[in-house]
């Protein structure tokens, strides 16, 4: 009777503990069917079933056309713009704004029948993000959420950072003004996406810490703090004209994007699918960049491509074996006739005699033998299409800076979740693994694991 009670209690405790183990999945760890995706603990249909083309949210496209942006980038953005909005019905107006060292006095709009052409203003000295944000705030106060009740969004596309204009004392001053105004907009409920197509930009890079200054060309820190990935951002200009961070708090993921391939469609496709419904046929919640959890259902979008290279250096092994045999004396008693041998036996008789055999001193030495084996370099390249070890299976980046925890079986290192293995350096505490946010090993050794 007691064993049955203990078994019942064990089952009850297990049922309470299981959600803690599998909380990152859909339905406490379960997977969705193949025709659905998992996002934030819920299974969604892969297909956008909206019967009418419309905006589910408000959005303004913001293009930096200053000297920040190269002519080749302008050409690619024009092609991308046509690709994204070319399939929209002609009565669907898309608000947009160009800016350089200043911004127009109002936001304009275009449709699929009258596509805009982005033109660079390379002669513009500065890049005035703050002026652009001011105009968008004016637009949304009149036509946005206050009028239709829908969420307001801003999508900023650039290839640089805010740069000083005639009204700024330094580039750092321009950065501070842009971040502070973005914080004001985010506090009012506006969601901000930032896209930086500069080859030096990396959305997965660590950002500058509180108390440090921001370099003029630190695209990642500036774009992250401008975006809705971070709230409560406080920055100021120091005595050297540099932007200095006072504080910030992580609040989301996927709001800052950089290209992971030559196909820039993946930077915007999920945003368009989330905001403009009834056009592309894909549910915006089912994109990797929107937080779709790859292990628990089907997701759209690119999986990070990794290349693994393993090199084995030639090794030489030398083995030396030495065997010594000490002199021994053996006394043998036989009951049969013994013929003359190298031993000394004087008489041949059929009776039992004692025979003594003396073994002379013998020493055997095996000389050194060298076995040399050469293993040639072996390189293997593995390409997978954003659920390999480098994808963070969480709607947020993991770790102390970002707040999210990896699912069971993964370790957290610099904001990303990795498939946990003793062969993965990033899963060791001395290599930066954060044990509070995933499974970590104690110490990494090059040849052995203890």
């Amino acid at each position: 009777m007691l064993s049955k009670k203990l078994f019942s209690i064990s089952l009850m405790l297990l049922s309470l503990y299981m959600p803690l183990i599998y909380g990152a999945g859909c339905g406490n760890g379960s997977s969705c069917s193949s025709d659905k995706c998992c996002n934030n603990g819920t299974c969604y249909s892969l297909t956008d079933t909206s019967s009418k083309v419309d905006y589910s949210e408000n959005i303004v496209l913001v293009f930096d056309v200053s000297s920040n942006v190269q002519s080749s980038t302008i050409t690619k953005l024009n092609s991308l713009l046509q690709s994204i909005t070319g399939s929209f019905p002609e009565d669907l107006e898309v608000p947009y704004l160009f800016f350089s060292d200043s911004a127009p006095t109002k936001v304009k709009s275009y449709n699929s029948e009258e596509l805009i052409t982005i033109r660079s203003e390379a002669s513009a000295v500065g890049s005035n993000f703050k002026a652009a944000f001011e105009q968008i705030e004016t637009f949304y106060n009149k036509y946005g959420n206050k009028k239709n009740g829908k969420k307001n969004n801003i999508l900023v596309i650039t290839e640089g950072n805010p740069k000083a204009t005639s009204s700024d004392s330094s580039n750092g001053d321009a950065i501070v003004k842009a971040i502070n105004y973005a914080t004001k907009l985010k506090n009012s409920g506006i969601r901000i996406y930032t896209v930086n197509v500069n080859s030096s930009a990396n959305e997965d890079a660590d950002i500058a810490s509180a108390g440090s200054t921001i370099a003029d060309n630190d695209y990642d820190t500036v774009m992250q703090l401008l975006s809705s990935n971070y709230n409560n951002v406080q920055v100021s200009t120091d005595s050297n004209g540099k932007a200095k961070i006072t504080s910030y708090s992580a609040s989301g993921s996927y709001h800052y994007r950089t290209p992971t391939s030559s196909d820039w469609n993946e930077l915007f496709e999920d945003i368009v699918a989330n905001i403009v419904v009834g056009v592309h046929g894909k549910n915006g919640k089912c994109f990797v960049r929107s937080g779709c959890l790859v292990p628990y259902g089907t997701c759209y979008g690119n999986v990070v491509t990794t290349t693994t290279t393993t090199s084995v250096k030639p090794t030489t092994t030398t083995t030396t074996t030495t065997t010594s045999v000490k002199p021994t004396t053996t006394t043998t008693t036989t009951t049969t006739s013994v013929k003359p041998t190298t031993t000394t036996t004087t008489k041949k008789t059929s009776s039992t005699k004692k025979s003594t055999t003396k073994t002379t001193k013998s020493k055997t030495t095996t000389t050194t033998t060298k076995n040399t084996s050469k293993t040639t370099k072996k390189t293997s390249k593995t390409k997978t299409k954003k659920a390999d070890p480098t994808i963070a299976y969480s709607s947020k980046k993991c770790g102390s800076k970002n707040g999210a925890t990896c699912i069971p079986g993964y370790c957290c290192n610099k904001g990303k979740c990795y498939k946990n293995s003793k062969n993965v350096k990033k899963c060791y505490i001395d290599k930066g693994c954060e044990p509070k946010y995933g499974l970590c090993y104690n110490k990494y050794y090059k040849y052995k694991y203890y």
Side-chain angles (χ1 to χ4, degrees):
M1 187 68 179
L2 179 60
S3 61
K4 288 184 178 181
K5 287 184 178 180
L6 290 174
F7 179 70
S8 299
I9 293 172
S10 299
L11 286 178
M12 181 176 69
L13 291 174
L14 182 62
S15 66
L16 291 172
Y17 183 62
M18 288 295 282
L20 298 176
I21 300 176
Y22 298 108
C26 282
N28 291 331
S30 62
S31 297
C32 303
S33 57
S34 59
D35 61 337
K36 297 183 183 298
C37 69
C38 177
N39 192 316
N40 198 27
T42 303
C43 293
Y44 295 93
S45 170
L46 289 169
T47 307
D48 174 11
T49 56
S50 305
S51 58
K52 180 183 177 182
V53 178
D54 195 10
Y55 284 111
S56 62
E57 298 181 3
N58 305 310
I59 190 168
V60 177
L61 305 182
V62 185
F63 298 94
D64 180 359
V65 294
S66 70
S67 56
N68 272 339
V69 185
Q70 301 178 45
S71 58
S72 58
T73 301
I74 294 291
T75 301
K76 193 165 185 176
L77 286 175
N78 275 316
S79 298
L80 183 65
L81 197 62
Q82 185 169 356
S83 172
I84 291 175
T85 59
S87 59
F88 288 2
E90 59 182 275
D91 61 343
L92 192 70
E93 296 289 325
V94 183
Y96 73 94
L97 181 74
F98 295 154
F99 75 94
S100 56
D101 52 4
S102 62
T105 55
K106 65 177 181 179
V107 174
K108 298 180 181 179
S109 65
Y110 73 97
N111 58 40
S112 59
E113 293 296 307
E114 299 177 352
L115 289 174
I116 57 172
T117 299
I118 305 171
R119 292 184 174 85
S120 173
E121 296 180 16
S123 60
V125 177
S127 183
N128 199 334
F129 281 63
K130 176 178 177 286
F133 289 147
E134 288 174 333
Q135 293 304 322
I136 295 168
E137 182 181 39
T138 300
F139 173 80
Y140 272 145
N141 283 339
K142 186 175 182 180
Y143 299 107
N145 174 270
K146 292 182 179 179
K147 184 175 182 180
N148 58 25
K150 297 177 181 179
K151 179 76 174 179
N152 293 333
N153 293 272
I154 299 172
L155 174 58
V156 183
I157 305 164
T158 183
E159 198 172 9
N161 266 353
K163 290 197 301 187
T165 65
S166 58
S167 61
D168 304 311
S169 60
S170 63
N171 287 334
D173 186 30
I175 290 172
V176 167
K177 289 176 180 177
I179 293 176
N180 285 340
Y181 214 96
T183 298
K184 176 185 176 184
L185 296 179
K186 288 183 285 187
N187 288 342
S188 71
I190 297 176
R191 182 192 293 125
I192 300 178
Y193 293 94
T194 55
V195 174
N196 197 309
V197 296
N198 192 294
S199 59
S200 298
N202 178 9
E203 64 186 86
D204 293 322
D206 290 335
I207 68 172
S209 59
S212 62
T213 56
I214 305 173
D216 292 351
N217 63 347
D218 185 350
Y219 308 122
D220 302 314
T221 295
V222 174
M223 293 298 117
Q224 289 278 22
L225 298 182
L226 286 173
S227 79
S228 289
N229 283 348
Y230 289 87
N231 283 336
N232 305 316
V233 182
Q234 295 184 24
V235 292
S236 59
T237 308
D238 68 8
S239 58
N240 295 317
K242 296 292 185 181
K244 185 174 182 179
I245 303 171
T246 301
S247 63
Y248 56 71
S249 58
S251 58
S253 299
Y254 308 107
H255 297 103
Y256 168 44
R257 283 113 185 269
T258 56
T260 58
S261 69
S262 59
D263 180 12
W264 288 0
N265 276 288
E266 54 100 13
L267 294 170
F268 313 100
E269 192 176 14
D270 66 301
I271 300 174
V272 174
N274 273 314
I275 293 176
V276 185
V277 296
V279 178
H280 295 289
K282 296 179 180 179
N283 189 334
K285 294 185 181 297
C286 295
F287 284 82
V288 171
R289 284 189 179 274
S290 291
C292 181
L293 300 180
V294 179
Y296 299 101
T298 304
C299 297
Y300 298 120
N302 293 334
V303 176
V304 172
T305 300
T306 60
T307 300
T308 303
T309 302
T310 304
S311 298
V312 181
K313 295 181 179 179
T315 58
T316 300
T317 304
T318 301
T319 305
T320 302
T321 305
T322 302
T323 305
S324 297
V325 181
K326 296 180 179 180
T328 59
T329 300
T330 305
T331 302
T332 306
T333 302
T334 61
T335 57
T336 58
S337 299
V338 180
K339 293 181 179 181
T341 62
T342 54
T343 58
T344 305
T345 307
T346 55
K347 291 184 179 181
K348 179 179 178 183
T349 175
S350 60
S351 61
T352 303
K353 293 286 183 180
K354 182 179 286 186
S355 173
T356 301
T357 302
K358 186 175 182 181
T359 304
T360 59
K361 183 177 181 180
S362 174
K363 183 176 183 180
T364 303
T365 301
T366 303
T367 58
T368 300
T369 302
K370 291 186 178 180
N371 292 323
T372 302
S373 61
K374 291 186 178 180
T375 305
T376 57
K377 291 185 177 181
K378 183 179 179 183
T379 302
S380 61
K381 293 185 178 180
T382 305
K383 291 188 177 180
T384 57
K385 266 203 158 211
K386 212 173 184 178
D388 73 324
T390 64
I391 182 93
Y393 297 140
S394 169
S395 60
K396 296 181 178 181
K397 292 182 180 179
C398 67
S400 55
K401 284 190 177 182
N402 305 291
T405 300
C406 299
I407 62 172
Y410 287 77
C411 68
C412 178
N413 193 314
K414 292 187 177 180
K416 296 178 71 174
C417 295
Y418 295 84
K419 182 70 175 177
N420 192 283
S421 168
K422 287 187 175 181
N423 293 320
V424 177
K425 289 183 181 180
K426 295 183 183 293
C427 291
Y428 286 80
I429 294 175
D430 62 319
K431 298 298 180 182
C433 183
E434 297 190 65
K436 290 185 179 180
Y437 301 92
L439 180 61
C440 298
Y441 295 103
N442 284 331
K443 191 170 181 63
Y444 176 77
Y445 293 86
K446 187 174 182 181
Y447 298 108
K448 294 183 179 180
Y449 302 94
Y450 294 88

